[in-house]
Amino acid sequence: MTPDEFRRVGHEIVDLIADYRAHVSERPVMAPCGPGHVKSQLPSTPPVSPESFEAILRDLERVVLPGLTHWQHPRFFGYFPCNGSLSSVLGDYVSSGLGVLGLAWQSSPALTELEEVTTDWVRQMVGLSEQWQGVIQDTASTSTLVALLLARERTARYALDRGGLQTVDHPLVVYTSQHCHSSVDKAALLAGFGRDHVRHVPVDDGYAMRADALSRSIERDLDTGLQPCAVVLTTGTTATTALDPVAAVCDAVERYGVWVHVDAAMAGSAMVLPECRWMWEGVERTDSIVLNPHKWLGAAFDCSVFYVRDVQHLIRVMSTTPSYLQSAADGRVKNYRDWGIPLGRRFRALKLWFLIREQGVEQLQARLRRDLANAQWLAAEVSHTPGWRVLAPVPLQTVCVRHEPAGLEGDALDRHTLAWVDRINQSGQAYLTPAVLDGRWMARVSIGAEQTEREHVEHLWRLIQEAVKGS
Amino acid sequence: MTPDEFRRVGHEIVDLIADYRAHVSERPVMAPCGPGHVKSQLPSTPPVSPESFEAILRDLERVVLPGLTHWQHPRFFGYFPCNGSLSSVLGDYVSSGLGVLGLAWQSSPALTELEEVTTDWVRQMVGLSEQWQGVIQDTASTSTLVALLLARERTARYALDRGGLQTVDHPLVVYTSQHCHSSVDKAALLAGFGRDHVRHVPVDDGYAMRADALSRSIERDLDTGLQPCAVVLTTGTTATTALDPVAAVCDAVERYGVWVHVDAAMAGSAMVLPECRWMWEGVERTDSIVLNPHKWLGAAFDCSVFYVRDVQHLIRVMSTTPSYLQSAADGRVKNYRDWGIPLGRRFRALKLWFLIREQGVEQLQARLRRDLANAQWLAAEVSHTPGWRVLAPVPLQTVCVRHEPAGLEGDALDRHTLAWVDRINQSGQAYLTPAVLDGRWMARVSIGAEQTEREHVEHLWRLIQEAVKGS
């Protein structure tokens, strides 16, 4: 494809995306197709000869778009928001178009240095001190895996340079809460700790980790000859956006020398609001933090920022320097390959740079405050309505609700909940993802898609009240 | 940013990229800037108020573009090529613009099913049988890490569900060659094996792993109570594109039940040519394979395809299914989150789909053959020229060369090599990355950037012959 063909088709694609975003609210939020439907419409063998772009774009419209669940839809209330703000999308367009790669500083200096600058901007925006340095990873799953590798190697004194985790004298233990994200367990298992060495500490009434229970768990392990290694706290859990008490946990574990990692994948964006920073008070005493600008803040996925205090430790654990990656600049520059798992790296800082500059901190703050207010409005409506309950505190943008009509409980209540959520999803009018809380299903209303205004939340609340009548 | 603003600025950015690609050959290949230069031109604090797109694009032109090493330049001969073909870039534009996420099949069915289709197209294109199923990962580093996790858990019989790698009776050992990529060592260390349990098997005259030496290494470990776990073979090593003998190694290790992983990150693209498939003969008997369409083939970075035969094993090791990720479709669909490390996933299949359809298999083959012929031409020129040597076989697109003038050897020869390579890089006329072979520096000429024609290789050869006179 020549640059001139790219120019022509590129304009078409920009128009296609502009139209898509302008009219996404007219589409059913959840893809109305069954398993295999998309695949059945595509040839099972690759084309031998070139096809026209007209044919490709026709299939895009005909096969792909109807097979999507639309995350940028104003009535998308599932999972957590993943806002690809259009300014950030343009930053990503520049990145893909330039096609440069960050294997080392020298392999594209601006890629590295813009990442230094933008991750430092985010650091300032969320109120972290200068002791933190950041790097962009793909997701919080990966960032948390890196954090546990760092913890493992600090406790095991760089066992990776000797016998690895296979020759430790006292097995290392990871602590997290019963409400941690699934990626914490996954990271611990992939890092080799083993399920027997992962503790899920009980939570309090607000679904936050109990520091006293954590201390007891650690003491029990020490008594049996195990070695406490890491605590993973969550600022904004997935089920209810609960806030583990960072300062209290730091107090509790100080004497044990464990690594403290904060999973603020979702709530990290909220720290751009000074009035929210109490939520992770004590964070300066932890060892690593992950927050995902690709969620609520609006950076195009993937853009997860991982902060550490001890960069030398990070590099010692993650670095490799074969001859073909050495350059004269080594030692005077950052080589971000030594800050994570992949060697090759996209120019991801551009999408963060475009977003922050085009919005300015003030506009980002205004949008987050809008969403917090919408969540408070919905929580108030629900809790004032007979037969309805808000099941957890609402510090952020997620409201956990259940319709509990008289006489319905146990499995019958679960069936009712899943049925009305499914009716809403199948209607295409809105999208919710249910979750289990205290052993019972509930509906999570996760507010914060970029296009979601008060009217869309009001609309959802009407839909919900209608949907429960269908049971 | 509204859709209409996106339309306006998006067209500007498409034009900017079209112009960049059309004129990239006029820029110095390697960024002519020193450490800190880019950073010094950018504000150290984030903007409070919104900035105009004119200001952002001005800084892009003024600060960022001059700070890049241009991977899409026709005289880029460094590392391995990373071709972001413009058709593939457009597929990525659609992906970023749609902003949908693949947490689960239901969270965007087309994202998953198009990935099934395109990875299966690639499977057919490289001549693998139907027993293989693929998934897109970010890089070969990550794919190889996943492969070693799969090996670890097969040998340790799902120790991750018990005590992990911390309670294995007989430490597990990973085997690879002295010429493996640095990511293999990194993956083994991150997976917890420990450096004491990674063997670098000696290579033959062509820098390929010796199957007999591998057998002896395994036997020695068995004698001392260790447990052989995985062999990582390379089809196309980084230093010289050497080809480890896949069939011979499979013969040698069959009785030990070890996992065999093939790192074909670079050379995997060449398997689109039937005449190259002898290079990985025996591959059907291995357990996992990684190949990077984002290298030579032309998919926009990042697009690494990881193939396994035993999908049930893969899912058992990598899966997590908390309530908030469950859906009614589970069991009837693929949930690719269970095929790799990150939970969140971009719609990466689009960039592969656009590339393959716009090019067709025939045009992709034609370009790869052009590059193979260019490498053969350069190798012949170098080896016919007095004072010059081609240091390794040239099965693919990389030519390892050294200028060895009479009387120059040892460290003086190293200084000479590094000096002339540096002169070329500093000139901005071409870009090479040197590497160490048999303890001495040499120049790798890695041919295969999309715009690189014979004339550019001829130009490089003239530059090289000029550059060595400067010493």
Side-chain angles (χ1 to χ4, degrees):
Chain A
M1 168 169 255
T2 66
D4 278 337
E5 288 165 337
F6 172 82
R7 197 186 306 268
R8 181 178 64 77
V9 186
H11 286 189
E12 277 185 59
I13 283 177
V14 166
D15 290 342
L16 183 153
I17 296 298
D19 292 341
Y20 171 79
R21 292 293 187 106
H23 298 285
V24 67
S25 67
E26 298 158 23
R27 296 178 181 266
V29 194
M30 186 178 82
C33 63
H37 182 68
V38 171
K39 198 161 58 168
S40 70
Q41 298 173 79
L42 297 170
S44 60
T45 55
V48 173
S49 305
E51 296 188 70
S52 72
F53 247 98
E54 286 58 42
I56 301 172
L57 294 182
R58 202 160 52 233
D59 286 346
L60 183 70
E61 297 267 13
R62 183 180 64 85
V63 181
V64 175
L65 294 188
L68 299 178
T69 297
H70 303 286
W71 287 65
Q72 309 304 319
H73 195 295
R75 289 188 305 277
F76 180 93
F77 299 101
Y79 309 104
F80 276 139
C82 184
N83 294 320
S85 288
L86 287 172
S87 57
S88 186
V89 168
L90 290 176
D92 209 36
Y93 282 11
V94 174
S95 172
S96 299
L98 295 177
V100 297
L101 210 60
L103 301 188
W105 174 87
Q106 196 199 51
S107 79
S108 265
L111 185 156
T112 296
E113 297 195 9
L114 195 66
E115 188 161 333
E116 287 184 61
V117 168
T118 51
T119 55
D120 198 65
W121 283 7
V122 172
R123 175 190 67 73
Q124 297 169 57
M125 288 163 64
V126 300
L128 291 172
S129 74
E130 286 185 356
Q131 69 174 334
W132 298 93
Q133 292 188 58
V135 57
I136 302 177
Q137 313 274 14
D138 59 354
T139 60
S141 305
T142 302
S143 298
T144 295
L145 174 57
V146 173
L148 288 185
L149 295 170
L150 298 182
R152 188 187 81 185
E153 295 306 320
R154 190 172 77 177
T155 305
R157 294 186 192 148
Y158 305 102
L160 85 173
D161 273 329
R162 302 184 306 277
L165 207 46
Q166 311 197 85
T167 53
V168 292
D169 294 328
H170 303 281
L172 315 184
V173 183
V174 174
Y175 304 83
T176 186
S177 102
Q178 289 171 334
H179 275 250
C180 75
H181 189 261
S182 57
S183 59
V184 179
D185 287 84
K186 182 166 179 172
L189 299 192
L190 298 185
F193 290 95
R195 210 180 285 281
D196 292 350
H197 303 118
V198 180
R199 306 278 172 264
H200 293 99
V201 177
V203 295
D204 64 19
D205 289 350
Y207 305 102
M209 182 191 277
R210 284 172 44 196
D212 60 331
L214 170 64
S215 298
R216 275 198 299 279
S217 183
I218 290 177
E219 286 293 336
R220 267 196 305 273
D221 285 333
L222 284 169
D223 285 347
T224 57
L226 300 176
Q227 176 67 52
C229 171
V231 180
V232 180
L233 297 177
T234 311
T235 300
T237 61
T238 305
T240 72
T241 66
L243 308 162
D244 288 341
V246 181
V249 165
C250 288
D251 286 342
V253 303
E254 199 160 32
R255 81 193 76 166
Y256 305 112
V258 299
W259 186 279
V260 182
H261 173 62
V262 178
D263 172 2
M266 175 63 199
S269 298
M271 303 308 148
V272 175
L273 303 175
E275 66 268 30
C276 285
R277 293 195 192 142
W278 62 268
M279 295 183 188
W280 70 0
E281 198 200 325
V283 72
E284 288 288 330
R285 297 161 63 193
T286 66
D287 296 284
S288 57
I289 306 166
V290 59
L291 55 94
N292 286 357
H294 68 228
K295 285 196 165 71
W296 199 6
L297 200 66
F301 187 89
D302 44 4
C303 185
S304 173
V305 186
F306 179 64
Y307 290 98
V308 289
R309 291 195 302 173
D310 188 347
V311 169
Q312 289 316 308
H313 175 66
L314 170 69
I315 293 171
R316 182 161 169 194
V317 173
M318 306 299 291
S319 72
T320 51
T321 311
S323 64
Y324 47 79
L325 291 176
Q326 291 165 25
S327 86
D330 292 350
R332 293 180 294 150
V333 295
K334 285 186 181 168
N335 284 317
Y336 275 127
R337 69 168 181 267
D338 298 334
W339 294 52
I341 295 168
L343 168 58
R345 310 180 79 248
R346 275 174 71 88
F347 197 165
R348 282 190 285 221
L350 282 169
K351 55 191 176 190
L352 200 49
W353 194 51
F354 274 49
L355 173 72
I356 296 171
R357 293 189 66 176
E358 191 265 344
Q359 289 282 296
V361 175
E362 282 176 352
Q363 286 205 13
L364 292 169
Q365 289 175 323
R367 178 162 56 75
L368 299 176
R369 287 187 178 119
R370 173 200 69 178
D371 298 337
L372 291 173
N374 283 340
Q376 290 304 317
W377 176 85
L378 179 65
E381 288 293 313
V382 173
S383 50
H384 296 152
T385 305
W388 283 89
R389 219 158 48 98
V390 175
L391 302 162
V394 184
L396 292 164
Q397 46 55 266
T398 298
V399 187
C400 296
V401 305
R402 192 154 55 214
H403 180 235
E404 298 180 344
L408 213 52
E409 53 190 30
D411 292 348
L413 181 58
D414 275 350
R415 282 193 297 275
H416 173 66
T417 304
L418 291 174
W420 69 256
V421 170
D422 192 52
R423 265 196 294 280
I424 288 175
N425 290 350
Q426 296 291 345
S427 77
Q429 291 293 302
Y431 184 71
L432 302 171
T433 45
V436 171
L437 188 66
D438 295 331
R440 287 284 157 227
W441 285 95
M442 54 117 180
R444 287 171 72 257
V445 181
S446 176
I447 296 167
E450 195 180 15
Q451 292 195 25
T452 304
E453 300 290 346
R454 176 68 54 86
E455 61 178 296
H456 302 106
V457 183
E458 290 170 353
H459 186 165
L460 174 74
W461 180 221
R462 289 194 302 273
L463 285 171
I464 289 177
Q465 288 171 293
E466 206 52 44
V468 297
K469 293 180 193 160
S471 291
Chain B
M1 168 170 258
T2 68
D4 278 338
E5 287 166 335
F6 172 81
R7 197 186 306 269
R8 181 179 63 77
V9 186
H11 285 190
E12 277 185 59
I13 283 177
V14 165
D15 290 342
L16 182 152
I17 295 298
D19 292 341
Y20 171 79
R21 293 292 187 105
H23 297 285
V24 67
S25 67
E26 299 159 22
R27 295 179 182 265
V29 194
M30 185 178 84
C33 63
H37 182 67
V38 170
K39 197 161 61 167
S40 70
Q41 298 172 78
L42 298 169
S44 60
T45 55
V48 173
S49 305
E51 297 187 68
S52 73
F53 247 98
E54 286 60 40
I56 301 172
L57 294 183
R58 203 162 49 234
D59 287 346
L60 183 69
E61 296 266 13
R62 185 181 62 86
V63 181
V64 174
L65 294 189
L68 299 178
T69 297
H70 303 285
W71 288 65
Q72 309 304 320
H73 195 296
R75 289 188 305 278
F76 180 93
F77 299 101
Y79 308 106
F80 276 137
C82 184
N83 293 322
S85 288
L86 287 171
S87 57
S88 186
V89 168
L90 291 176
D92 208 38
Y93 282 10
V94 174
S95 172
S96 299
L98 295 176
V100 298
L101 211 60
L103 300 189
W105 174 86
Q106 195 198 51
S107 79
S108 266
L111 185 155
T112 295
E113 297 194 8
L114 195 64
E115 189 162 332
E116 286 185 61
V117 168
T118 53
T119 55
D120 199 63
W121 283 8
V122 172
R123 175 191 67 74
Q124 297 169 57
M125 288 162 64
V126 300
L128 291 172
S129 74
E130 287 186 356
Q131 68 175 336
W132 299 93
Q133 292 189 58
V135 56
I136 302 177
Q137 312 275 12
D138 59 354
T139 59
S141 306
T142 302
S143 298
T144 296
L145 174 57
V146 173
L148 288 184
L149 295 170
L150 298 181
R152 188 187 80 186
E153 296 306 321
R154 192 173 77 177
T155 305
R157 295 188 189 145
Y158 305 102
L160 85 174
D161 273 328
R162 302 184 307 276
L165 207 45
Q166 310 197 85
T167 52
V168 292
D169 293 328
H170 302 280
L172 314 185
V173 183
V174 174
Y175 304 83
T176 186
S177 101
Q178 289 171 334
H179 275 248
C180 75
H181 189 261
S182 57
S183 59
V184 179
D185 287 84
K186 183 166 178 171
L189 299 192
L190 298 185
F193 291 94
R195 208 180 287 279
D196 292 351
H197 304 118
V198 180
R199 306 278 172 263
H200 292 98
V201 177
V203 295
D204 64 18
D205 288 350
Y207 306 102
M209 184 191 279
R210 283 174 43 197
D212 61 330
L214 170 66
S215 298
R216 276 198 299 280
S217 184
I218 290 176
E219 286 296 334
R220 266 196 306 272
D221 286 333
L222 285 168
D223 286 346
T224 57
L226 300 176
Q227 176 68 53
C229 171
V231 180
V232 180
L233 297 177
T234 312
T235 299
T237 60
T238 305
T240 72
T241 66
L243 308 163
D244 288 342
V246 181
V249 164
C250 287
D251 286 341
V253 303
E254 200 159 29
R255 83 193 75 168
Y256 306 112
V258 298
W259 186 279
V260 182
H261 173 62
V262 178
D263 172 2
M266 175 62 198
S269 299
M271 302 309 147
V272 176
L273 303 175
E275 67 268 31
C276 285
R277 290 190 194 145
W278 62 269
M279 295 183 188
W280 68 2
E281 198 201 323
V283 72
E284 288 289 329
R285 298 162 63 192
T286 66
D287 297 285
S288 56
I289 306 166
V290 58
L291 55 94
N292 287 358
H294 69 227
K295 283 195 166 73
W296 198 6
L297 200 66
F301 187 90
D302 45 3
C303 184
S304 172
V305 186
F306 178 63
Y307 290 98
V308 289
R309 290 194 303 172
D310 187 348
V311 169
Q312 290 316 310
H313 175 67
L314 170 70
I315 292 171
R316 181 158 171 197
V317 173
M318 306 299 292
S319 71
T320 51
T321 310
S323 63
Y324 48 80
L325 291 177
Q326 291 165 23
S327 86
D330 292 350
R332 294 179 294 149
V333 295
K334 285 187 181 169
N335 284 317
Y336 274 128
R337 67 166 183 271
D338 298 334
W339 294 51
I341 295 168
L343 167 58
R345 309 180 79 249
R346 276 174 71 88
F347 197 164
R348 282 189 286 218
L350 283 168
K351 54 190 176 191
L352 201 48
W353 194 51
F354 274 49
L355 173 72
I356 296 170
R357 294 188 65 175
E358 190 264 343
Q359 290 282 297
V361 175
E362 282 176 350
Q363 286 205 14
L364 293 169
Q365 288 175 324
R367 178 161 56 75
L368 299 176
R369 288 187 178 120
R370 173 199 70 177
D371 297 338
L372 291 173
N374 283 341
Q376 289 304 319
W377 177 85
L378 179 64
E381 288 292 314
V382 172
S383 50
H384 295 152
T385 306
W388 283 89
R389 220 159 43 101
V390 174
L391 301 164
V394 184
L396 292 163
Q397 46 55 267
T398 299
V399 187
C400 297
V401 304
R402 193 154 56 211
H403 181 235
E404 299 181 342
L408 213 52
E409 53 189 30
D411 292 349
L413 181 58
D414 275 352
R415 281 192 299 274
H416 173 67
T417 304
L418 292 173
W420 69 256
V421 169
D422 191 51
R423 263 194 296 279
I424 289 174
N425 290 349
Q426 296 291 344
S427 78
Q429 291 293 302
Y431 184 70
L432 302 172
T433 45
V436 172
L437 188 66
D438 295 330
R440 286 285 156 225
W441 285 94
M442 53 116 181
R444 287 171 73 256
V445 181
S446 175
I447 297 168
E450 196 180 16
Q451 292 194 24
T452 304
E453 301 291 347
R454 175 67 55 86
E455 61 179 296
H456 303 104
V457 183
E458 291 170 350
H459 187 165
L460 173 72
W461 180 221
R462 288 194 301 275
L463 285 172
I464 290 177
Q465 289 173 293
E466 205 53 47
V468 298
K469 295 180 192 159
S471 291

